[in-house]
Amino acid sequence: MKKEQRLLLLALALLMLAGGGWFLYDSGFFQAAGSLEGLRAYIGRFAPYSHLFFFLIQLMSVILAPIPSNITAAAGGLLFGTWPAFLLTFGAVAGGSLLVFCLARALGRDFADRLVSRKLSERYRDVLRAKAPVFLTLAFLFPFFPDDVLCILAGFTSLSLRRFTAIVLLTRPWGLLFASALGGSTLKLPLWVMIPIGLAGLSAFLLGMKYGDRLEEILLRRLKGRESGKTD
């Protein structure tokens, strides 16, 4: 791609991001994001195009990291039901993941530096170069990794688009399905089953909040250690 084309594409991408972010801010999305009911009411305001608007929000959630796709998926489940919310969310998240991967590969650091902090980029750069398929698979399955940021950084690796697509399709739907089902209230299980699941989920969440950074560091260190052992 010629330099002039790259600059034009970069300018268009950044303009669309800035416009989308401004619209969400101006329309009250970030204020509504404090609760499921607030999000449900916010999305419902755009009827009869609320399904399309929900899809666009989920697409933006991949590019604008502050938007929590799991929370909006739960709000979508509350508004549309489990399966419509899940299919819209997964389509948007998968499409957004592939979009930022391709944009990063086409536009290079000029694009990534505007969306990813240098600290995060340096943190994951080496392990992505050495173990991109394994690391991305684990990162997309565990809740304490910045999935959307990793999709951008993966564009700078030698990972093929086909393989990246397979990883996204196989690993990203499960958390989104759970969130959509939770919002859609289709997880109807006996109380004696729900209580242990709820306690286990709460424990996993608290452990992730408290020890997520440590677990992430251990995983990064082990993957880097294996790679250095092979090269020695």
Side-chain angles (χ1 to χ4, degrees), residues 52-218:
L52 174 61
F53 188 72
F54 176 75
F55 177 86
L56 293 175
I57 288 178
Q58 296 297 65
L59 182 64
M60 291 292 289
S61 75
V62 181
I63 306 170
L64 298 176
I67 302 177
S69 57
N70 283 326
I71 294 178
T72 46
L78 191 64
L79 184 61
F80 306 123
T82 296
W83 289 108
F86 167 69
L87 293 174
L88 287 168
T89 297
F90 182 50
V93 169
S97 300
L98 299 179
L99 175 63
V100 295
F101 177 89
C102 293
L103 284 174
R105 180 153 293 181
L107 299 175
R109 290 289 171 186
D110 289 338
F111 173 73
D113 287 346
R114 286 163 173 78
L115 298 177
V116 183
S117 70
R118 186 169 296 276
K119 182 179 179 181
L120 277 177
S121 181
E122 292 175 351
R123 181 178 183 83
Y124 298 114
R125 180 183 57 202
D126 292 339
V127 71
L128 277 170
R129 286 177 179 172
K131 293 279 187 178
V134 174
F135 177 65
L136 287 174
T137 299
L138 294 174
F140 289 160
L141 290 173
F142 288 106
F144 46 81
F145 285 95
D147 297 355
D148 303 328
V149 168
L150 293 176
C151 290
I152 298 173
L153 298 178
F156 301 116
T157 69
S158 59
L159 188 67
S160 68
L161 176 60
R162 180 180 297 181
R163 198 167 186 184
F164 178 76
T165 302
I167 293 172
V168 167
L169 294 178
L170 291 173
T171 58
R172 298 212 71 176
W174 311 113
L176 301 174
L177 178 59
F178 181 82
S180 300
L182 192 63
S185 300
T186 58
L187 293 177
K188 298 184 183 300
L189 297 173
L191 185 62
W192 62 271
V193 175
M194 285 297 295
I195 290 177
I197 290 177
L199 291 174
L202 178 61
S203 299
F205 174 78
L206 294 175
L207 288 172
M209 290 292 291
K210 186 171 183 179
Y211 300 110
D213 290 343
R214 193 178 303 176
L215 293 171
E216 179 184 359
E217 192 63 43
I218 291 172

Side-chain angles (χ1 to χ4, degrees), residues 23-24 42-43 46 49-58:
F23 173 79
L24 291 175
Y42 173 82
I43 296 168
F46 295 88
Y49 306 106
S50 51
H51 287 79
L52 174 61
F53 188 72
F54 176 75
F55 177 86
L56 293 175
I57 288 178
Q58 296 297 65

